[in-house]
Amino acid sequence: MAGVLLRPLLGTFTVRAFNYTSLPFTTTIRPSTTQLPPRLVVSENDIEESFLKGSGPGGQKINKTSSAVQLKHIPTGTVVKSQATRSRSQNRSIARRLLAEKLEEAEKGPESRTALKADIRRKKKASKMKKARRKHRPQEDGGDGTDKMPEPSKVDTRPEASASDQKPEE
């Protein structure tokens, strides 16, 4: 292993021994704490698919081609339309995913995948906001290790002033 040049993010160095614990970088793999439930699979027999002409921004190409996909779930009557891209095949997969999410949301409610994802996002945002508040809150005890300086209006700057001449703090 002598003479092998490794390039970590902060510079280069040469490894001369097999002591890997002294390397300046580490890799941590954290397992997911919450497993999301598997996606709902919708049977193709329960779906009625139609292709529509697109509308909105995108110019003449969107308006002329039938790339928008509309799916109807026959047992529930739920309708989903996707026009996210100009590609019909991508819109088909997006529409199927949206339909599965919508059906699962209606079936499971707060235990659905989308509700769990929203809950995770909400908790992360709350944690981030709490950390920001903690970081920017005013420190009352001078927690950075320095003593509090008296306000300039209460300090007598005359050279002959003694401690007894200064105004008392309020």
Side-chain angles (χ1 to χ4, degrees):
M1 191 75 191
V4 175
L5 185 65
L6 296 177
R7 296 177 187 246
L9 296 174
L10 301 174
T12 59
F13 66 97
T14 305
V15 176
R16 293 196 177 111
F18 292 101
N19 185 5
Y20 292 108
T21 58
S22 63
L23 295 177
F25 48 85
T26 59
T27 304
T28 332
I29 300 173
R30 293 185 199 169
S32 177
T33 56
T34 27
Q35 289 290 334
L36 292 174
R39 292 185 191 274
L40 182 69
V41 179
V42 182
S43 171
E44 288 294 323
N45 297 333
D46 293 343
I47 297 175
E48 183 180 301
E49 183 176 43
S50 58
F51 302 102
L52 311 169
K53 293 191 185 231
S55 62
Q60 186 177 10
K61 180 72 174 173
I62 287 291
N63 300 330
K64 286 173 64 175
T65 58
S66 297
S67 59
V69 179
Q70 180 176 335
L71 298 179
K72 180 179 180 183
H73 188 245
I74 298 168
T76 60
T78 305
V79 178
V80 172
K81 182 179 176 185
S82 173
Q83 185 190 324
T85 67
R86 285 174 28 172
S87 166
R88 180 186 283 189
S89 61
Q90 286 179 355
N91 285 336
R92 287 180 76 194
S93 63
I94 292 169
R96 278 172 170 65
R97 189 187 69 225
L98 290 174
L99 181 65
E101 287 175 358
K102 205 170 190 180
L103 291 174
E104 185 181 22
E105 183 85 28
E107 181 182 321
K108 296 183 180 178
E111 296 299 317
S112 68
R113 239 179 114 82
T114 52
L116 292 175
K117 281 183 175 182
D119 191 43
I120 290 169
R121 275 194 304 273
R122 184 186 52 77
K123 285 180 182 178
K124 280 185 182 179
K125 185 176 180 181
S127 174
K128 216 174 183 182
M129 295 297 290
K130 182 179 177 183
K131 185 176 179 182
R133 279 194 308 271
R134 193 179 323 131
K135 181 178 178 181
H136 296 294
R137 73 175 170 212
Q139 294 184 350
E140 299 161 0
D141 59 348
D144 58 350
T146 60
D147 294 329
K148 284 188 176 181
M149 298 296 292
E151 294 179 23
S153 64
K154 297 181 181 180
V155 177
D156 192 359
T157 57
R158 295 178 293 167
E160 65 274 354
S162 64
S164 61
D165 293 340
Q166 289 185 355
K167 297 177 186 176
E169 288 188 19
E170 297 174 358

